[in-house]
Each structure stands twice: as structure tokens, then as C-alpha cells.
Amino acid sequence: MKTGLKIATIGGGSSYTPELIEGFIKRYDELPVSEIWLVDIEEGKEKLEIVGNLAKRMVKKSGLPIDVHLTLDRKAALEGADFVTTQFRVGRMEARIKDEKIPLKYGVIGQETNGPGGLFKALRTIPVILDICREMEKYCPDAWLINFTNPAGMVTEAVLRYSNIEKVVGLCNVPIGMEMAVARMLNVDHSRIRIDFAGLNHMVFGLDVYLDGESIMDKVIGMVTDPKNTEVVKNVPGAGWEPSFIKALRLLPCPYHQYYLKTREMTEKVLEEAKTYGTRGEVVQKLEEELFELYKDPNLDVKPPQLEKRGGAYYSEAAVRLISSLYNDKKDIQPVNTRNNGAIAGIPAESAVEISCIITKNGPKPIAVGDLPFPVRGLVQQIKSFERAAIEAAVTGNYDMAVLALTINPLVASDTLAKKIVDEMLEAHKKYLPQFFNKRQSVQ
Amino acid sequence: MKTGLKIATIGGGSSYTPELIEGFIKRYDELPVSEIWLVDIEEGKEKLEIVGNLAKRMVKKSGLPIDVHLTLDRKAALEGADFVTTQFRVGRMEARIKDEKIPLKYGVIGQETNGPGGLFKALRTIPVILDICREMEKYCPDAWLINFTNPAGMVTEAVLRYSNIEKVVGLCNVPIGMEMAVARMLNVDHSRIRIDFAGLNHMVFGLDVYLDGESIMDKVIGMVTDPKNTEVVKNVPGAGWEPSFIKALRLLPCPYHQYYLKTREMTEKVLEEAKTYGTRGEVVQKLEEELFELYKDPNLDVKPPQLEKRGGAYYSEAAVRLISSLYNDKKDIQPVNTRNNGAIAGIPAESAVEISCIITKNGPKPIAVGDLPFPVRGLVQQIKSFERAAIEAAVTGNYDMAVLALTINPLVASDTLAKKIVDEMLEAHKKYLPQFFNKRQSVQ
Amino acid sequence: MKTGLKIATIGGGSSYTPELIEGFIKRYDELPVSEIWLVDIEEGKEKLEIVGNLAKRMVKKSGLPIDVHLTLDRKAALEGADFVTTQFRVGRMEARIKDEKIPLKYGVIGQETNGPGGLFKALRTIPVILDICREMEKYCPDAWLINFTNPAGMVTEAVLRYSNIEKVVGLCNVPIGMEMAVARMLNVDHSRIRIDFAGLNHMVFGLDVYLDGESIMDKVIGMVTDPKNTEVVKNVPGAGWEPSFIKALRLLPCPYHQYYLKTREMTEKVLEEAKTYGTRGEVVQKLEEELFELYKDPNLDVKPPQLEKRGGAYYSEAAVRLISSLYNDKKDIQPVNTRNNGAIAGIPAESAVEISCIITKNGPKPIAVGDLPFPVRGLVQQIKSFERAAIEAAVTGNYDMAVLALTINPLVASDTLAKKIVDEMLEAHKKYLPQFFNKRQSVQ
Amino acid sequence: MKTGLKIATIGGGSSYTPELIEGFIKRYDELPVSEIWLVDIEEGKEKLEIVGNLAKRMVKKSGLPIDVHLTLDRKAALEGADFVTTQFRVGRMEARIKDEKIPLKYGVIGQETNGPGGLFKALRTIPVILDICREMEKYCPDAWLINFTNPAGMVTEAVLRYSNIEKVVGLCNVPIGMEMAVARMLNVDHSRIRIDFAGLNHMVFGLDVYLDGESIMDKVIGMVTDPKNTEVVKNVPGAGWEPSFIKALRLLPCPYHQYYLKTREMTEKVLEEAKTYGTRGEVVQKLEEELFELYKDPNLDVKPPQLEKRGGAYYSEAAVRLISSLYNDKKDIQPVNTRNNGAIAGIPAESAVEISCIITKNGPKPIAVGDLPFPVRGLVQQIKSFERAAIEAAVTGNYDMAVLALTINPLVASDTLAKKIVDEMLEAHKKYLPQFFNKRQSVQ
């Protein structure tokens, strides 16, 4: 008889794994996990063993009856799982670095979830996630798929539209980070702050902010637009923008909005940083190497503090909080990527949105937003247009649709540029894009 | 007793007037115009007299019983009018040239209906059109307002949302030009070609193309994307784009889409042309001077062929065709700017759209389109977001909203850049923007 | 080489056929029909021959080069057809009489397109029409299906949802009859009157009325609600209703609305008439017998005037007018049953609605209506709910769904009553409802 | 400084008041009420004093520091209130009895919230609630209005559309009763059962049922449709219906659906009961008299058990639970009447719906439902059409609109019947319907 929950983590060799393990340990009293299966592919075997052994030491230290399994056999990991989490990266860090560097050659922002990088990460990832879904149907049809793999919104929509798995949630740490930043600014505990979120993944807006349930939107807008507050509001959503813009908007943008509404500055910044420090992928690659060196230490049995620099803050918090609410039918409010179901007007019911939801055992139920405020309706729709084109290209391998996706992406906004970038990136990622090369639907 | 129709043309001193006069003469048998009142402001008096006298000579030559009146008294012109047409330009050509030149200093496309130029033309024009509407309520409450003044879509929506005039149609020659180009490509008469249009003004797409009622979309897409056709398809919608993009799109873009989907190329082109020939406004200014020299010739009694270079091809055709269909309840299909009324899903019922309509005596009735194809849904929504912000700024004089409008416009896409351009252009157009200076709603 | 149009008329043995033949003869100059195939089933052979021979004599008299074919071979009739018209009745007049009589036993209106009769006519007819569609795919994939068979709205929606035939139009003579009645009341020619129609088949409202293009809605509402006009407004939509109701409604109801908004009076009336004269089906049956007697007369070569009493006034006018507009790409406005496509807000895009459309060679294009006026939104939605349940029951043979359909129908409005009526009618129509008897999905 | 919450209860003389007082006492630890103001009108003075003194004794017994005030001065009661609850009845029980009896004369169901009774209760109540709202704006602009006064849905929508009070929630004990019944059937605690509700007040459906968060809809449907369960499922939603109907519906109807989907049976039942025992109002009137006799007992200091027969079970539970969640920002899920805001597709954003919401300090946030299942979309829309017509008639005093409202109500479904009933009921309730008599908008 089953005594606890089985977790299967695809991409278990990720440097993030200790975050996740720590989360399961901390919440063991409400989430009785008995097995964690870390699964990875052949190429990731070494990392899987390093980080997997750390995971085992962490669990051992905790004294909890959790078994950690390391495996390259995905089916064994999925068999009977209760929750499947994904944190894999198709093509590993090398692919990310290409996603970042190639667009820069054309003066276009190189970033892993926006613009050309977002498109190609989708093209590489979606076929793999759909494979995983097909296996889940067979080996763990009742499991929840908790997807952290970017681009999380497009991956979630691809699962909703093109697989039979309905129990899927996409998760991102951006919204929780926005709440944390506001809490920090106000010097209050995170638990007292709540933001109504609506939009898409990496394109989410805060519609209202509450402190102990009372709306403090006016106060927050006032603080982040007051030039005297520069220090206090650092990294707070809305800070660093033209006060006029934020006052007229009366919404909190997320950090990724800078790519679309500070395009010129961000392009320069990304170019400059790439020249000075290397791209973010290169920086992370180095950080990861250092992390894995640390992980190797057989005496290490806690998540090392250096992991925080890696990014992904609150990842554990967001992930395990979600899993616990699903398992325990907590009915608390969390922002996740899920089926729109009419919550945001004008977006198809079956599209994925990132939105504040009640998390029940039966899944996330989005809170109705109705019409988005008109100033952001357009940008959100435009990114959704891009996402749908990207998903269609990923599923069909249709070259023309890939060119269209990039043409309508605001960071490219040019058909000729789109074609050049698509051509170079298709070639660069050829190995991970069989759908385009086995059956090319259009002559270039 | 009234014997014929009274037309009041606001901005009657425009160089376009001979087009319009020619149109009324040609269609006199179906449109019994008895009075044409050309009205202009004090500063336009000289031009009004020059072009007005040409109009009188043209009418005289026609032998038709039409009286042409020249006046600076708008109320006299409006009194009892059946149709009010607008072709005025607030701030005249000088303002247009500023709209073009200032953005270019910031590396942003300078154009009179897109980006910063479109915003400021809206800010200058909307208060004037709303004044005209208030006078129409009083002097000719049953008249149709046929608006040609750009930005025609925003002006139409401002009238629909902020005036009591419901009988308003916005008109643009872009859609008719697209049909003409397809007809030319196929070497058939224009009357045999019909395009289903939907979108916004200067943001309209051809959804399907018919020859004698049969869809020939596949053929047209094939022709415009075939590299062998370069010569034949010149200026045909869809030609000059990446074939992959057009094939995946399966729609006909309008020429203005190049600003948004060939942004980089167009920016370079506009900058280059401005350097070489001056901006379009400067070119047109010179053309207009030459035209008015011609118009002065007391022997000239026809529309001089040089007018065609001025732009506005088919302007007469589109305008008088529309007026005749309204007057005669023709129930033919024409693309105009009108209240959406649910025709395009996701756009408010009371917003203006540019769409194929049945033209009845009771006004244009849009043909239901439902959801726009997903690849263009985003861009259309984004421009509508910009338009609504621009209209709101124009009506309220809210500085912050003007900054927001320009920030979300894809040609600017930057809050800091938006602020700089707004600040410089507000100052440059100060004289025509009293709503911003009498009651500044935000400190810069 | 094909020289003219081929028409295939399913249910060619109908007493209506002379109407249709007369229409084709009258419009021959604009609609070059060369072959009319009248096809019927074995049981209808005798009637087919009688009416078919009259059709031949009518054509002969006209001197036109049209061949009339009589056949029991549906495939031969469909082969290469340009237009397929349907006027068949599954189960013939006997089934109609049952549809009328059985509900009356339960005190429920017995009528062939509303309530239980409408449900069972849909259950019998939809499988047959879907069979015809499958044959059309094979034998005349480019033909238009012009459906007159009731319930025309449900039949059209069934084709749109459950067949591959997209070129389908449902036609009813109710809207044209409403226009004719208004024209008669105003003593003007029908061509000068136009009504904006929107709703569902036999549930259509006139939203506005135009005389020569000018709205005369206020005048019409005034006339039909003025008690002094009783004689003049006889049979005019809106007359015979409580003036208060019509004034608050400001819409023109169709005659069938009486079943839903004068339910008690109509129930009594139908019961009384059934007792006195027999049901409408019985009356028509007798009329038809007399008609066929007339049709047999070898000297008769015109449509006999007695046909008008049969009902179906303007049937020929509506049918041939529609076919001609489709063939000639006339782009005139006609009310037909077609895919909603967003025209009426809140009704699925793929549902059939009865609405004013532009008739093009590419099919009817509905004019956008947006939200229906709130007082009728509910009733229209409720009938659409019933229609969808009925269609689903017809296609699946799901007994429970048939009970649900009748329960939610306002004329029944009772689950226990619904079950009783369904049970008795299923048994009575057993022969024509194989889908319910070969695979009963629920135990009664 | 304010030390606790002030509650103002309009209609404080109601026999329900002990329920409410008990609720506040029980939840005092989470809801620190310091003042309860029971306010009533002159005619209700005696009852106010009787029940008010009982309330005082109950509070005294509890030992809690709550002051109970009895007053006829509404402004004093509202001044500074935190929550305003309404439980008044315009015209008292006599009006209810007329609402029940007059329709029965016409063979139409006489009931206080459906059909003619619902219309006239709305006509009498809405002007009073709007008066209260105007006073709240002045005396307690930050208070929440918790409306229990029937028809709760229409009253809530009237406040949303026609007042400046945005903090309004309509409450009904029907949904909580449905959950309780399911819990009883399954023999589990209510806290373990949750139903997803959506619809309108007294027209709400259970879309899904959960036990400890797991959907048990199939099981519940199975139980309530199993003829063997007759005893167990008594009063459980879905029981007592034709099993076929419920199986096809796959939703849980509420008790009031019987009026619309068992119309004939219910009409007979209501007529029979009225003859045998008097109408429900008459029964309740007698019960109330007995209750007030009990309340007079100076030794009584608890809610007497006889109150339960009065109806309104769980009223205290629902009311105080809601107030506590609003006050404490509990974010639990409760079904209430609130602004739709896009949650149910096809219903205006500003209309009231009854729907599962998260209850936050900032108000209820509806969970997005999207499209209602098609079989119930129509009935819900039809009742919403009726509600909107009724609200418009209540606010404007438009006689024609009152006739229309009743004509489109499915329980009447006849214009002539509607007029007769409206005329008789207008006269009967004349005293409470000044809006119809001071300015009659239409001649009868």
C-alpha cells in the first residue's frame, strides 16, 4: 500500500534541485513525500549524480523517511508518480547561450524567454514536453504536471492544446518576487501582501496590491513614482520607470516588461553586458560550474547559500507551496499559468494565462478579471499572438510559421530580420529541432 | 423648398478640393448637389480663394446648377447641410513637418499618422472635430459627418465616444487603393475585385480577395510571394514582404503595416529620404505650392493632372461613392471607419474599426468578422490600445496619458523616449494644444 | 461542356414544387438553369410523378431549354449539381400529424417546428440531412445546399457542426412575410421596405424597419399599437399584441413568438382548432390531396392559385432570389439561416442564426448586430439551448438528452411531462428514429 | 477611538433578528462587534421592541461587550456603520400575501421571488434600497451593504447599476442549503463539501461537487438519480427530478428551478397548498405571530428552536460567515451575489450573478466559469432578461416595461395575462409604488 507521495523531477540534474529538496523537507509535515525520483538524460548523468547525492545527504540530515532515486529511465520515474515537476533544458546551457548571442549579432535582444530566444526555446522544448505528456498518460495518468521549464506559458498552452494531460500548471517565480519586493519596500512580512495578477507568463501585471486585505495601490504607485524614494524602491515593480507612465498606467509591470516598453535601453544594456561579462547564460554557466564543485563536497548536506545568485529566488517556495495547496486542497490564492477559461476577456478559453487563482485539489481556478485595462490589452494580446504562432511552429515544424512568429514579436518587428535570425538559429539548434528538418514545410 | 443637397467642406482651402469637386460633378446624376460650401479659417483664406475659384470654374464648365460658396463662417456653412466633409489640417503643413522631423531626431519614424506624429495629429485634431460636432448638433443635426481628416480612425472614435453626433463615417483611401492594386495586377477592372477588409485605419488587413465573387486568395498569395513576379506585383499588398511571412499569414497587409513589421527598414528609409529630399511633408509642401500656382490660372477649369502626385489617389472616388451610397441607400459594400458593434471580436462595440460595410441610408453596417486571425489579433489590439490612450489624452489634456500613449506605441516602445518626444512635441505644437497648457494634469 | 445550372431538389414530390418551378422560369434570364432533378423516395413515387409531370408541362409552356428529370436515385440527382434544395418531410404528413396530436393530449401545443413537434421533426430529419451531406461531398462537393426542410435552423446548425459541407444556407419564408406585411400596411411596394432581422429560425425579431432606407420603426410601432388600426394592421408583426408590451420591446416579433409569449392563448387556440377543423397537418393533408387532384390535370401547365392556401407564401420568391444572388454575387441583403460568426453576441460562432446577410457568391455574410436588446436575449438563448440539445440528441440518439431538450423547452417546462411526451412520441415515430432504438443510451 | 464594529440592521424588527444576534455572539472572537443598531419604521415599532429586547437579553446572557440599540432613526443607525445588513420587507407580510394570492387567481404561481411576486417585490423594494444607498454615501460611505432582502439578485444589481455604493453583496441561503443537503446525504461534515456555484439568485446551479477537494459529481449524480435512494436523497439537489433529465444535465439544480422546469406540477401544488393551508405568506404570518409571542417572554434569552420552521435556515451562518470573511480578509470560498465582471460568459460585466467567490477584505472576487453548460445558458439568460426589465421598471416607474418584464417571465409567458396581473397588482400595491403613480409613463 502506498504510504506517501511520489515526486518525479524531469531534469533532476539541474543546479536548482537542492532548492526543491529543501522545500520538500521544510513542508514535510503538510506534504508527506516518500519518494523523489530525479531523472535526467545520458548527457546529464554526471550532474545528476553530483546533485542527486547532495539531495540524498540533505534528506538524510533531515531524518525524514524520503527515498531519493537517481535514474536515466524516465518511465521508471513517472510510473505511479503523484506530481511530475519539470526543470529540464533541451540543449543545456550551450543552447541558451546561442539563444542569447545570435540575436545580438542582429542588434536584437538576446534573452532566453523573450524574442528569438523565447521562440527557439519553445521550438526545442514543446516537442519534449508533449513526449513526456504521452508517457504520463500511460504511467501516471492522475499525476499533476508542474512545469517550471521556460517558456512556462507557451509550454503550458502547448500541453493544454496538444496533449491529453489536463492536470498541468505552469509556474514562474516572477509574481512571487513582485510581492516580495513590495513587502520589502513596505517593511512588512510577505504574508500580509497580496497582488491581483493577470496577464501572461513574463508579461504579467499587478492590477491591485493589498496589505492585510486593504488596497494600497495608490500608496504603492505614489511610492514607486516618487523620485525621492530611489533607494527604497529598488527592484520594486513600477520603480525605474517614468513616473508619468506608471501614474497613467496605474498597474505594476513585471521586470520583463522592460524588454517591451524600454526596448531601446534594454537592447543597449544587454549588448553592453554581453560585451563586458558575457551573456547571462555564460555568467550562469560559470556560476553553475562553481555550484557543482560545491555540491561535490561529501560533507555538504544543506542547500549552499551561493545558489541564490543563480537566480530562481523563491523557486522552492513557489513550487512546494503550489504542490502542497493542490495536495491539501488549501484554496489559497496563488498566481500560476493555467487555462484562461474566460477569466481574462478576449483571450481564448483554452489559452494559458498567468493569473491569480484559488488552488484547489481540483486544480487552480482563476479569479475573473474581465477586460484588462485598455492600455495593456494590446501588448498582452500581441505576445499571445506570438505565443500561439510559436506553439504552432513548434508542433508542426512549419518554417513559415516560425518566420511569422518572429516577425510579429515586438523585439524583432521585421520580416526580413525575422527570416535571417530564424535561418541562423534553425541551423545552430538543428540537433534539437528535428520537426523542422525531417519535414521542411516550405522552401526557404 | 429645398431643391438639392448642401455639402459643407471644412478645410475647403485644401489642395484636394478639385478632386472632390470633380467627384461631385461626375456623379451629379445620382447625387443632386445644389450647394457646396468651402469653409476655412482666417489663415487659410488665400488658399481658399485660389482653390475655391478653381472649383467655381470647374462647376461652371460642367454647366450644372451647383453653387460654390467660399466662407470663413463655419456656422453659415454648416447651417442646414446634408453632408459635412472634413479635410482640414490643424497647424497646417508646418505642424506636419514638425510631426515628421522631431521623432527623427530620436531615431523614431516621423510620419503623420503613425507613432509620435499620429499621436500629436490626434491631440491637435480631436478637440477641433468635437467643436465641429457641437456646432453640427445645432446647425445641421441630421447631417452626415464624412471625416477624411487623419488620423481618421481615432477622429471617428473620438466623435463616437465624446460627441452626440452618431452619423459619422471615417474614410481612407488605403483600402480602395489595395483593391485597385490587385485589379491592376490581374489586369481586370476594379469593379470585378472585392476584398473583405477588417482592422483599424492604417492597420487594415485584407482577409479574402474575390474576383467576380469567387475567392482568389490562394492565387493572389501565390502571385505576390512568387519571386518571379517582382515587376508585376509592384505596390500590390503582400508584395515586397518575405514570402514565408505572407504565406503563413494568409492575409493582405496594408502599406502602413510596414512601419510595424518592417520597422528597422522603414526607419532607415524614412531617415534617408528626409536627408535626401526632405520629409514627406516638405515634399508635399513644395508640391502644394506648385499646385496652387497652377490653380491660380484663370483659364484652368479642370482638376490638373499634377494633383495625383500629391497623394490621395482615389480620394474623390472613395468620398463621393460613399456619399452617394448613403444618400441613395445603395447597400453596396465599402470599407469605412465606423462603430464596431461586435463585428470584430474583442474590440469594444463603441470603438471605431475599418471594415467592409454595407452602406445604407441609415449608415454603414459592418459585416461580422468574428475573431481576427490570431497572428494579427495582437497588433490590431495594440494599436487600438494606443488609439484609446491618445484619444483620452486629446480630450482630457492629461500629460501622463500622452506619455503612456507613446510608450505603448510599438514605434517608440520606451517610456523614457516617449517622455522626451512628448515634451519636445508638446512645446513645438503648444499653440494648438490648449488642453495641455491651460490645465496641466501632471507635473513633468 | 456544361451549359447551364443543375438543380437537385430532394423531396421533389412535394406539393410546393410548382412554386419552385415557377420561380426558376421567372428568373431564367438571370439564372440559366438547364436541368432540374426532382428526386424522391419510393413511397413518394406517385406524388413525384404527378407533380413532376406538371413541372414538365410548366417548363414546356415557358419554352425555356430546361430539362426536368424525375428520379428515385438520389446519387444521380446529386451528381454534378450546382444547387441542392431540400423540401422533404421524413415520415410524410402522417408524422406531422402525430407531432401535432400527441402533445395536445398532454395539454401542450402541438406544432411542427415548436415544442415537442419541433424536437421530433429534428430527430427524424437531421440524420437524413447528414446522409445527404455525405453524398454531396462525393457527388457535388462544390454545390450549395439550400435547405427549406424544417426545423430549418436546427437542420442548418446540424450541417455546420456535424458535416463537412460548409456551403449550406437555411431558408424560411417568415422574414420575407414580415416585410411583405409591413409593405402592405404602408401600401408601398415590397422592394421599398427593409427589415434588419436577427434571432433564430421561427424566433426572429425585426430590429429596425426602413422605408426607402430611412428608419420608420417609430411609425411602425405606433401603427401596430394603435387600437384604431385593428383592420389595417392585420397580420402585421407587432399587431395583435398588448400595445404596452410592443412599446417597451420596440422590436417586431415574428408570428411564432406567439407560442412563447402568448402561450396560454395559443394553447387554447390550437386545442380548439384541432377539435373543430383537425390539426394544421390534417387540414394541409386534405388541401394537398385536392392539390394533387388538380396537378393531375394534363391540361394544367401553370401553378394553380389554390397552392397559396397551402402556406409557404413567397417560398418561390425567397428560394430563387437566394439562389440567384449566390450565383450572380448580387450582394443584396436577405435574411437567411447561416453560421453566426460573431454577428449576434453571446451565440457561438458556429451556431446557426437567422439574420440579415449580404448574399455573395462566397455565401451569406451576416451583418453584425452585437448584443441583442436585453428583453429578447433570454428567449433567443433559451431556444438555442433547446436547439443544441435537440441536435445532440438527433445525432447521438441519446434518450436522456432528448428528455432534457424537451424539459428546457418553454412550451413543456417540466421534466416529468417531457419524459411522458418523449416516450410516447419515440414509440410513435419509432420507424424514423433508428438512432434511438439501435443503441439506446439510457434505460427509461 | 473606535473599539469595535458597528452593525446597522435595516428591518431590525424582523423575526429573523435572533438568528443574526446568535451569529454575532458565536463569532465574537473573530468579529469584534461592539454595537448593533436595529432600525425599523414606525409601523414596525412594536415588533422591533419585542425582538430587540430579546436581542438585548441574548447579548446580556453572552456576557459580551455588545450594545444593542433600537431605533426608528435610520440615519442614526447608519452613521459610522461598518456593515449595513438589510432584512426589511416593504409592505410587510400583507404585501407578500398579495404577491402570492393575486397571481393564483390567474392560474399563475404566486411566490414571493419568482414570477409576478418577484416582479412586484422588486418594484417595491428597489426604490427603498436606493434611498438607503444615498444615505450610506453620506453617513457611512465605507460600509459594506449586506443585502438579504429579496429578490436579492435584482436588489444587488439595482445597487450596482443605479447607486454609487460599490461595496454591496447580496446573500441567499439557497447555496449553503444545497451544500448542507449533499453533506447530509453523504453523512459527512459540511466543511468537507464544496460546490462550484454559478447562475443567478434563486436560479443557481451546482457545476461540480467536491468532497475534501476531490470531485464527486459522478457519484452525487448517480445517487440522486437512483430510484432506490428516494429516502436518503430527500431534499438533495437533483433528487425528485426525472433521472434522465439530471443525467443529461450533469448539474445540480436549486429548489427554485422547480418553478421553471416543473412548472405544471408546481402550479398545481401551490394552488392546492394555498387552498388547504393558505399561501406560504399566510403560514409564515401565523408562525411569526407565535414567534413574537415567544419573543415577548422576558425570561427567554436564546434563539427559540421554533424559529427554524420559519425558513431561512443557515441564514445566521451565511450572514455572519460572510461578514467575518470580509472583515478578516479570509479568502475563503462562498457563493454570493456580486458583479459578474466577466466570470460567466455572455452576462454583462455589471450585472449581478450568484457565484462562488473568494471573499476578501476588498470584496468577493468571482471565480471564472466561462460559458455555462449550454442546456442552462438559455434559462439563466431569460431570467436575467426578466430581472433587467424589472429593475428598469422599478427605477423608472415605466408601466410598459413592467408589462414587458412579466410577459417575458416564463411563469407568465403571455402579454395579455401579464397586463391583467400587472394592472391588478399595481392597484393592490399602489401605496408602495409611488414611482408608477406620480408619473405614469404610459396610458393603460
Side-chain angles (χ1 to χ4, degrees), chain B residues 25-97:
Chain B
I25 291 170
K26 276 193 184 163
R27 300 235 186 186
Y28 184 81
D29 56 335
E30 63 184 67
L31 198 62
V33 170
S34 58
E35 298 172 56
I36 301 175
W37 288 66
L38 302 174
V39 59
D40 219 308
I41 54 173
E42 186 60 39
E43 296 91 318
K45 192 176 174 186
E46 196 197 330
K47 286 173 71 183
L48 175 65
E49 284 186 359
I50 295 168
V51 78
N53 285 325
L54 169 55
K56 288 181 175 185
R57 295 192 298 271
M58 289 171 72
V59 165
K60 191 176 172 195
K61 190 190 179 198
S62 77
L64 294 170
I66 302 175
D67 286 332
V68 177
H69 300 259
L70 314 185
T71 184
L72 302 186
D73 178 356
R74 199 159 73 191
K75 290 169 193 176
L78 293 177
E79 183 83 51
D82 296 289
F83 290 91
V84 178
T85 73
T86 59
Q87 52 183 40
F88 61 88
R89 181 184 293 282
V90 179
R92 309 174 78 201
M93 207 54 80
E94 288 71 29
R96 173 177 181 170
I97 294 168

Side-chain angles (χ1 to χ4, degrees), chain C residues 59-290:
Chain C
V59 165
K60 191 174 173 197
K61 187 189 181 202
S62 76
L64 294 169
I66 303 175
D67 286 332
V68 176
H69 300 258
L70 314 185
T71 182
L72 302 185
D73 178 356
R74 198 159 75 190
K75 291 170 193 175
L78 293 177
E79 182 86 52
D82 296 289
F83 291 90
V84 177
T85 73
T86 58
Q87 52 184 38
F88 61 88
R89 181 185 292 283
V90 178
R92 310 174 78 202
M93 206 55 79
E94 287 71 29
R96 173 178 182 169
I97 294 168
K98 288 177 189 168
D99 283 346
E100 293 168 339
K101 286 193 149 172
I102 295 172
L104 285 180
K105 294 204 277 178
Y106 298 92
V108 169
I109 285 169
Q111 206 276 337
E112 73 164 338
T113 64
N114 289 273
L119 171 63
F120 275 82
K121 196 156 178 14
L123 298 182
R124 296 193 304 272
T125 307
I126 286 172
V128 176
I129 203 91
L130 294 178
D131 268 354
I132 293 171
C133 288
R134 278 182 288 271
E135 290 178 7
M136 285 180 64
E137 284 183 59
K138 215 165 154 185
Y139 299 107
C140 54
D142 293 330
W144 279 97
L145 173 58
I146 310 295
N147 178 63
F148 302 99
T149 293
N150 272 328
M154 288 190 258
V155 167
T156 304
E157 181 155 342
V159 172
L160 289 169
R161 286 188 185 265
Y162 294 99
S163 90
N164 296 315
I165 295 300
E166 290 176 13
K167 294 170 83 170
V168 58
V169 188
L171 198 57
C172 181
N173 61 353
V174 163
I176 195 173
M178 290 168 71
E179 285 184 349
M180 295 285 196
V182 170
R184 239 180 358 249
M185 173 178 79
L186 297 171
N187 206 15
V188 300
D189 191 75
H190 172 215
S191 64
R192 296 176 60 195
I193 292 292
R194 187 169 64 80
I195 299 183
D196 284 340
F197 290 103
L200 310 180
N201 182 238
H202 287 196
M203 177 54 59
V204 75
F205 289 92
L207 305 185
D208 209 339
V209 182
Y210 307 94
L211 172 63
D212 299 332
E214 304 262 21
S215 173
I216 52 164
M217 193 65 174
D218 288 335
K219 186 180 173 183
V220 170
I221 296 285
M223 288 184 77
V224 298
T225 56
D226 185 342
K228 285 175 301 190
N229 285 337
T230 318
E231 263 321 294
V232 185
V233 301
K234 221 171 167 183
N235 295 322
V236 175
W241 294 85
E242 280 299 338
S244 282
F245 172 61
I246 296 296
K247 282 185 212 161
L249 189 65
R250 262 194 63 81
L251 296 173
L252 299 187
C254 82
Y256 290 95
H257 284 119
Q258 297 174 91
Y259 291 117
Y260 300 100
L261 299 171
K262 283 182 179 294
T263 309
R264 195 175 289 190
E265 300 90 316
M266 290 304 282
T267 309
E268 283 162 14
K269 190 180 159 203
V270 170
L271 273 164
E272 183 58 33
E273 287 180 353
K275 223 163 58 188
T276 317
Y277 314 102
T279 67
R280 178 73 192 150
E282 290 173 309
V283 173
V284 164
Q285 199 173 35
K286 209 179 296 171
L287 279 171
E288 291 220 330
E289 279 165 23
E290 293 165 17

Side-chain angles (χ1 to χ4, degrees), chain A residues 35-54:
Chain A
E35 299 173 54
I36 300 174
W37 287 67
L38 302 174
V39 59
D40 219 310
I41 54 172
E42 186 61 37
E43 295 90 320
K45 191 176 176 187
E46 195 196 332
K47 285 173 72 184
L48 174 65
E49 284 185 357
I50 294 169
V51 78
N53 285 325
L54 169 56

Side-chain angles (χ1 to χ4, degrees), chain D residues 28-242:
Chain D
Y28 184 81
D29 56 334
E30 62 183 70
L31 198 62
V33 170
S34 58
E35 299 172 56
I36 299 174
W37 288 66
L38 303 175
V39 58
D40 218 307
I41 53 172
E42 187 60 39
E43 295 90 320
K45 193 177 174 185
E46 194 197 331
K47 285 172 72 183
L48 174 66
E49 284 185 358
I50 295 168
V51 78
N53 285 325
L54 168 57
K56 287 182 176 184
R57 293 191 300 272
M58 289 171 71
V59 165
K60 191 176 172 197
K61 189 189 180 200
S62 76
L64 294 169
I66 303 175
D67 286 332
V68 176
H69 300 258
L70 314 185
T71 184
L72 302 185
D73 177 357
R74 200 159 72 190
K75 289 168 194 174
L78 293 176
E79 182 85 53
D82 296 289
F83 291 90
V84 178
T85 72
T86 58
Q87 50 184 40
F88 62 86
R89 180 185 292 284
V90 178
R92 309 174 77 204
M93 205 56 77
E94 288 70 30
R96 174 177 181 170
I97 294 169
K98 288 177 188 167
D99 283 347
E100 292 168 341
K101 286 192 149 173
I102 296 172
L104 285 181
K105 294 205 276 180
Y106 299 92
V108 169
I109 285 170
Q111 205 276 336
E112 72 164 340
T113 64
N114 290 275
L119 171 62
F120 275 83
K121 196 155 178 15
L123 298 182
R124 294 192 305 271
T125 306
I126 285 171
V128 176
I129 203 91
L130 294 178
D131 268 353
I132 293 171
C133 288
R134 278 183 287 270
E135 292 178 6
M136 285 181 65
E137 283 185 59
K138 216 165 152 184
Y139 299 107
C140 54
D142 293 331
W144 278 97
L145 174 58
I146 310 295
N147 177 65
F148 301 100
T149 294
N150 271 328
M154 287 190 258
V155 167
T156 304
E157 181 155 343
V159 172
L160 289 169
R161 284 188 185 265
Y162 293 100
S163 91
N164 295 316
I165 295 298
E166 289 177 11
K167 294 169 81 171
V168 57
V169 189
L171 198 56
C172 181
N173 61 353
V174 163
I176 195 174
M178 291 167 72
E179 285 184 349
M180 295 284 196
V182 170
R184 242 184 350 255
M185 172 177 81
L186 298 171
N187 206 15
V188 300
D189 189 75
H190 172 214
S191 63
R192 296 175 60 195
I193 291 293
R194 188 168 64 79
I195 298 183
D196 284 340
F197 290 103
L200 310 179
N201 182 236
H202 288 196
M203 178 53 60
V204 74
F205 288 93
L207 305 185
D208 209 340
V209 182
Y210 307 94
L211 172 64
D212 300 333
E214 303 264 20
S215 172
I216 52 164
M217 193 65 174
D218 287 336
K219 185 181 173 182
V220 170
I221 296 285
M223 287 182 78
V224 297
T225 55
D226 185 341
K228 284 174 303 186
N229 285 337
T230 318
E231 263 321 292
V232 185
V233 301
K234 220 171 170 184
N235 294 320
V236 175
W241 294 85
E242 281 298 338

Side-chain angles (χ1 to χ4, degrees), chain A residues 106-107 241-242 244 248-249 260-265 374 378 382 385 389 392 399-400 404 413-416 419, chain B residues 106-107 241-242 244 248-249 261-265 374 378 382 385 389 392 399-400 404 413-417 419:
Chain A
Y106 297 92
W241 293 85
E242 280 299 339
S244 282
L249 189 64
Y260 299 99
L261 298 171
K262 284 182 178 294
T263 310
R264 195 177 287 191
E265 300 90 314
F374 78 81
Q382 186 151 1
S385 286
E392 197 174 313
Y399 169 81
D400 293 341
L404 179 145
S414 158
D415 61 337
T416 53
K419 185 178 187 322
Chain B
Y106 298 91
W241 294 85
E242 281 299 339
S244 281
L249 189 65
L261 298 171
K262 284 181 177 295
T263 310
R264 194 176 287 191
E265 300 89 315
F374 78 81
Q382 186 150 359
S385 286
E392 197 174 312
Y399 169 81
D400 294 341
L404 180 146
S414 157
D415 60 338
T416 52
L417 199 51
K419 186 178 187 322

Side-chain angles (χ1 to χ4, degrees), chain B residues 93-112:
Chain B
M93 207 54 80
E94 288 71 29
R96 173 177 181 170
I97 294 168
K98 287 177 189 168
D99 282 348
E100 292 168 341
K101 284 192 150 172
I102 296 173
L104 285 180
K105 293 205 278 180
Y106 298 91
V108 170
I109 285 170
Q111 205 275 336
E112 72 163 340

